[in-house]
Amino acid sequence: MNNCEELISVIVPIYKVERYLKKCVETIMNQTYSNLEIILVDDGSPDSCGVICEELAKKDSRIKVIHKNNGGLSDARNEGIRTSTGEYLLFVDSDDFISYSMIETLYKSIKKNNADMVACGYKKVFSSGIVEEQQFSVKNREEILTGEDATKRLLYLMEPGMVVAWNKLERRELWKNMEFPVGKQHEDDFTTYRLMYNSSKVVLINDPLYYYTQREDSIIGTGFSLKSIDKIEAYEKACAFFKEKNREFYLRAINLVLIMNKRCCEEVIRSEHPEKKEILKKLKKLGRMFYLKNFYNIKRGFKYHMKIIGFYFLM
């Protein structure tokens, strides 16, 4: 593929990943699609990541390095978006790596189908050497959806590959007037439903082209923390977004808030958090208030309501 193709900006947020960084960036540098802008965002990493970024930039003129004070994953991605100039955006986490043909495959698909977004399958890579393949539940290698159908799939099936930011190529226009929520965990839950709903077409490709490293010390691998509650807020934001746009999705988002709240409560109960009683009390209070506020919009049967009442009001 030659350089007359459109520019794609690859945004890599970086923090305390010196062990993984070179492999990640080298798989981007060696893509079969060459017209890339590779933006490495050193988010105030205290290890040697900043030095590694500069060394990589000397090897490849397509690399831009940003050094900034630590602001978290969302802040680093947002800085990358603001700096980028490509027609399309791709996010790669700096402890992961990608297939050498990933970008070309996604680009060909997004152009062939005149889509706004294309997502691929991925593989989980464990320290033991075990690789676990994660695909979409589609009948064929490639499935073309409207933005509304993709959003419905996201909200109802809750497939991990649908919500994450890092397995998707997206038109830049989707990010107009939108950013990742700074200071929040589960940042993709705040953004992906909006991106999909605003897309004309979304393509799902079953090919597992992204390699997702499973680290015990990562944000996801550290178990329960207060930041886990951010997922509840993400779906409260979805309620507000869909309220005037799509009633079906609005009602589903209401149910998801209660589902996420209950899951967080269960995580707290299983955890050894020193303030678990206070956290659980706060979560249940939020759940009760949300349930009562939205009671008439929860179109579920008697048994469902009895379970909710039993969990939030009686236990």
Side-chain angles (χ1 to χ4, degrees):
M1 195 161 283
N2 58 54
N3 286 337
C4 69
E5 302 291 354
E6 292 165 293
L7 181 66
I8 294 175
S9 297
V10 185
I11 297 168
V12 186
I14 297 164
Y15 186 74
K16 293 176 70 173
V17 287
E18 58 184 5
R19 176 182 170 188
Y20 308 94
L21 183 55
K22 283 187 179 180
K23 181 175 183 177
C24 170
V25 179
E26 286 173 356
T27 61
I28 301 170
M29 292 164 60
N30 293 304
Q31 287 291 299
T32 55
Y33 189 101
S34 61
N35 195 17
L36 304 176
E37 174 185 59
I38 305 170
I39 302 174
L40 307 182
V41 186
D42 169 23
D43 190 35
S45 188
D47 56 12
S48 61
C49 283
V51 174
I52 295 171
C53 287
E54 294 297 340
E55 291 174 350
L56 291 166
K58 291 177 182 177
K59 297 178 181 180
D60 196 320
S61 61
R62 299 173 299 173
I63 293 178
K64 297 179 180 179
V65 180
I66 299 170
H67 299 286
K68 60 182 287 296
N69 293 330
N70 180 249
L73 177 59
S74 289
D75 194 48
R77 284 179 176 170
N78 291 339
E79 188 64 34
I81 294 171
R82 287 190 288 267
T83 303
S84 66
T85 60
E87 296 295 322
Y88 298 90
L89 302 180
L90 178 77
F91 300 97
V92 178
D93 285 353
S94 49
D95 50 356
D96 301 333
F97 58 99
I98 62 177
S99 164
Y100 293 124
S101 62
M102 176 177 171
I103 296 177
E104 180 179 1
T105 301
L106 299 187
Y107 179 74
K108 282 182 175 179
S109 178
I110 210 168
K111 295 301 289 184
K112 178 183 72 174
N113 296 297
N114 191 28
D116 292 319
M117 176 191 296
V118 58
C120 66
Y122 63 97
K123 293 182 179 181
K124 290 183 177 180
V125 181
F126 295 86
S127 57
S128 62
I130 295 174
V131 176
E132 182 181 302
E133 194 166 302
Q134 302 287 312
Q135 293 184 323
F136 298 110
S137 54
V138 299
K139 294 180 179 179
N140 301 312
R141 172 183 173 270
E142 185 177 84
E143 183 171 339
I144 304 167
L145 303 170
T146 64
E148 189 167 306
D149 285 341
T151 308
K152 186 172 184 176
R153 185 186 181 113
L154 169 68
L155 295 175
Y156 284 88
L157 297 185
M158 305 292 288
E159 294 172 293
M162 290 295 285
V163 72
V164 293
W166 38 251
N167 65 338
K168 297 172 177 65
L169 182 67
E170 300 155 347
R171 288 191 190 274
R172 180 183 196 84
E173 288 84 355
L174 291 178
W175 284 94
K176 187 177 181 181
N177 300 321
M178 193 171 79
E179 290 187 331
F180 287 101
V182 176
K184 301 294 182 182
Q185 194 172 303
H186 302 290
E187 64 288 330
D188 305 339
D189 288 286
F190 286 83
T191 56
T192 304
Y193 67 85
R194 293 174 61 187
L195 296 168
M196 286 187 171
Y197 191 77
N198 290 330
S199 296
S200 59
K201 291 181 187 176
V202 176
V203 183
L204 305 181
I205 298 177
N206 250 342
D207 296 356
L209 304 173
Y210 190 97
Y211 293 82
Y212 177 32
T213 302
Q214 304 298 290
R215 291 168 51 201
E216 292 182 358
D217 62 337
S218 69
I219 294 174
I220 300 300
T222 51
F224 176 79
S225 75
L226 290 176
K227 288 293 184 181
S228 298
I229 299 172
D230 290 344
K231 202 173 184 76
I232 302 170
E233 182 183 344
Y235 286 100
E236 288 178 340
K237 297 283 189 183
C239 288
F241 178 80
F242 288 121
K243 187 172 183 178
E244 304 300 330
K245 298 177 184 293
N246 187 301
R247 182 160 179 78
E248 179 188 355
F249 295 168
Y250 168 59
L251 297 178
R252 174 59 177 167
I254 289 174
N255 286 327
L256 286 174
V257 171
L258 292 170
I259 289 170
M260 297 307 164
N261 184 293
K262 187 172 183 291
R263 285 181 183 175
C264 276
C265 288
E266 291 167 347
E267 284 182 21
V268 173
I269 292 169
R270 292 192 300 267
S271 77
E272 299 298 328
H273 198 286
E275 299 177 10
K276 62 188 296 181
K277 289 184 179 179
E278 291 78 9
I279 296 169
L280 187 60
K281 184 178 179 180
K282 180 181 177 181
L283 279 171
K284 285 201 170 187
K285 181 180 179 181
L286 291 172
R288 286 195 298 270
M289 291 173 61
F290 185 85
Y291 174 74
L292 292 172
K293 179 182 177 181
N294 293 281
F295 176 81
Y296 292 105
N297 286 315
I298 301 173
K299 307 301 181 183
R300 301 295 293 270
F302 177 77
K303 288 184 178 180
Y304 175 87
H305 285 279
M306 287 301 97
K307 286 182 179 179
I308 293 292
I309 291 170
F311 185 80
Y312 287 110
F313 294 86
L314 303 178
M315 290 177 64

